[in-house]
Amino acid sequence: MSAASSPLHPMPSAPAQPDAAQLHNIWLAGLGAMARAQAEGSKAFDALVKQGLEWQSQAREQIAEAAQRAGALAASAHPAGGGRWNALEGIFEQRVARALANLGLPSAQELAQLRARVQALENNLPAPARRTAAKKPAAKTQRAKSARK
């Protein structure tokens, strides 16, 4: 028996035309597939929404934990950083004071002592002399006179 004459594999000469019942069944199968896709699609959509809500709550928890750790880290670093700034500020103030002293300028403490001495001397003056002492400008020093020449 050859393959061409085998009854199991008939070789049609022209494709068979489906009848109306077959076309109607194909149409119904397509509608059924569409309905199933819509039903399962809405279930899948609902499942995705549920999963998204779970992930969102997990992400919020992780963000809150990370913010808490960052806040604790910043709080622990602040005192150490503040100490460094205070030390740096102290070094800067010492260097500025040393430079001003090298220029012959009095320090803030020396100026305060001088003001206190002047105030004590003014308090010891008689009343008429106090008024004239307050009106007279300070005497120019020899250094200021020689600088103008």
Side-chain angles (χ1 to χ4, degrees):
M1 232 178 165
S2 70
S5 61
S6 168
L8 297 175
H9 302 290
M11 299 280 289
S13 59
Q17 295 293 327
D19 63 352
Q22 287 177 327
L23 288 174
H24 186 68
N25 285 341
I26 292 170
W27 171 255
L28 292 176
L31 285 177
M34 184 119 162
R36 180 179 281 176
Q38 285 178 343
E40 290 177 6
S42 67
K43 288 179 186 175
F45 180 77
D46 293 339
L48 289 172
V49 168
K50 184 179 177 184
Q51 188 178 18
L53 288 171
E54 290 172 2
W55 285 1
Q56 182 180 16
S57 67
Q58 289 175 357
R60 285 185 177 162
E61 289 173 4
Q62 290 175 351
I63 289 171
E65 289 173 8
Q68 201 172 32
R69 284 193 307 264
L73 181 63
S76 68
H78 179 67
R84 290 183 189 145
W85 279 111
N86 289 341
L88 184 62
E89 183 180 5
I91 292 170
F92 181 74
E93 287 176 357
Q94 289 173 356
R95 289 186 179 175
V96 169
R98 201 175 319 134
L100 292 174
N102 287 342
L103 292 173
L105 297 174
S107 67
Q109 182 181 5
E110 291 171 332
L111 283 176
Q113 290 172 348
L114 183 60
R115 284 188 188 118
R117 286 180 63 194
V118 169
Q119 185 64 41
L121 289 173
E122 286 179 352
N123 289 342
N124 289 336
L125 290 175
R130 271 191 225 154
R131 282 186 231 132
T132 41
K135 290 180 184 177
K136 285 185 182 179
K140 294 184 180 176
T141 61
Q142 183 64 24
R143 194 184 308 175
K145 290 179 184 176
S146 62
R148 281 191 284 168
K149 291 182 181 179

